[in-house]
Each structure stands twice: as structure tokens, then as C-alpha cells.
Amino acid sequence: MIRFFAAPIAAIALLTATAGGAFAEEFDSRDIMGGGPNFFRGGSSPIPRTTVNYSGNYAPGTIVVNTSERRLYLVLQNGQALRYGIGVGRDGFRWGGVHRGGERGEGRITAKKEWPDWTPPSQMLARRPDLPRHMKGGIENPLGARAMYLGSTLYRIHGSNEPETIGQAVSSGCFRMTNDDVSDLYSRVSVGTTVVVLNN
């Protein structure tokens, strides 16, 4: 039951952070993201990017996120799609919103950013008051190398330094990809691209 683009789901951006000085000594962003030994490292996806046959009835250029498969498809010409592995929201942090009772939500990419900053939303700060209030973009930022913002919600498709979490349900609501995969997708889509989220 995907409900797409809903009010603050605070979930998304909730992906982590780290501040400077003494604060950084106490804060470990893996506590929020689902963590792993490679958090501050790169790494290839355990689910290789590949071109596949695709029979969905979507126009070329559409992004289709299948949360149950934990895959993201960029629809191509001639019945094909580029398939990427993704990490999705854990229980309690999945899509919610205006399409109540529906199986599909649809929105658009409304902004794209390289090495985005991260500001935890108020809902996340209420749960985790120890988090930094703001984190500049960079290799240690949990939003990774690229982010594509979805509608007016807090949801994003973004990078991650935790390749071991791709294919799992560990995030706070966003769709995460390896930095390599998100950079590839980022280069292929533009603001205005339609994003369809399926929760079968």
C-alpha cells in the first residue's frame, strides 16, 4: 500500500550525520542508517547494475521503484530498463501519504544535488536529540554523492557509503543506492522526471 508523497514522513533525510569536534566523538551515524563496517568507505553494490527486459507500461525515462523487489528501474526504449539495487525503508518508515489504499504512488524529481548537505527533520531530532542540526555534504555525509528530491516530501533517492545495505530494508524511508549507482542514475535523469513507487 504505497502512499506517495505525504506530509512529513520525516523518514527520509533521516539518514545520518556527523558533526565536528567533541560532538563527533559521541555520534555515530551508523546508529541511524542501519550501519555497517564500510560506512565511511566506497564499494560496489552487491546487486550489479544491469540492463533487463521490462514490460511495464511506463514511458521511457520514467523511474520505477519496486520496494518489495528492492530494485529501481530506469525505463529505456524498446522494452528495456536499467535495473539498480536499492535499500528501502525499514518497517515503520515506509512510504505513506495521499494515495491511501493504493498500490502505487507517483511523483516527480523536483531537485537534484551533488554532495548534498543534510539537515535532520524535526521528527527525527525528537527521536534522536543527539544528532547534529546540520551536516555539510561530503564523503562522510549519509546522503552520499548525489540526491534526487521527490516532490515536496522529505523523501529522496540518494547515495550511500554502506554498499552492504543495498537490497535490505534498513533506511528511515529514503531509497538508497551506492554512490557509483546514484551518480550513474543522476547523470541520466533530470528535474521533472516521473518517479513511480510500487509496494506490491
Side-chain angles (χ1 to χ4, degrees):
M1 226 165 51
I2 285 204
R3 314 177 222 195
F4 200 68
F5 300 137
I9 314 184
I12 180 86
L14 337 71
L15 312 206
T16 127
T18 210
F23 190 84
E25 296 176 3
E26 300 175 8
F27 173 69
D28 186 340
S29 51
R30 288 175 291 184
D31 291 343
I32 299 180
M33 301 304 288
N38 298 319
F39 182 78
F40 292 120
R41 303 180 197 144
S44 60
S45 175
I47 303 169
R49 180 171 71 235
T50 185
T51 301
V52 297
N53 291 328
Y54 191 77
S55 59
N57 188 25
Y58 303 105
T62 301
I63 292 173
V64 180
V65 176
N66 190 312
T67 58
S68 61
E69 287 183 12
R70 296 171 190 174
R71 300 292 186 275
L72 181 151
Y73 297 86
L74 176 62
V75 180
L76 306 175
Q77 301 282 350
N78 303 317
Q80 294 189 310
L82 198 53
R83 182 177 65 194
Y84 304 82
I86 59 172
V88 301
R90 62 186 182 271
D91 287 345
F93 290 92
R94 300 220 175 122
W95 288 105
V98 297
H99 293 281
R100 300 187 184 283
E103 294 182 350
R104 166 176 145 178
E106 187 170 307
R108 294 185 183 276
I109 292 175
T110 51
K112 297 171 61 183
K113 294 185 181 176
E114 298 185 10
W115 297 106
D117 291 351
W118 178 63
T119 301
S122 59
Q123 299 94 325
M124 179 183 233
L125 289 172
R127 294 192 307 273
R128 290 291 311 274
D130 60 312
L131 294 179
R133 271 38 184 179
H134 184 76
M135 184 179 181
K136 295 295 289 180
I139 193 63
E140 294 183 355
N141 189 301
L143 295 184
R146 304 287 185 271
M148 288 155 276
Y149 296 74
L150 306 178
S152 60
T153 72
L154 297 175
Y155 284 115
R156 301 176 181 96
I157 298 168
H158 67 83
S160 173
N161 296 322
E162 301 177 288
E164 70 278 7
T165 67
I166 301 305
Q168 300 181 33
V170 295
S171 82
S172 296
C174 296
F175 303 118
R176 65 168 67 176
M177 308 172 76
T178 61
N179 283 331
D180 181 55
D181 278 352
V182 80
S183 295
D184 181 81
L185 178 65
Y186 186 98
S187 71
R188 296 172 186 270
V189 300
S190 59
V191 170
T193 294
T194 297
V195 179
V196 176
V197 180
L198 305 176
N199 190 13
N200 301 331

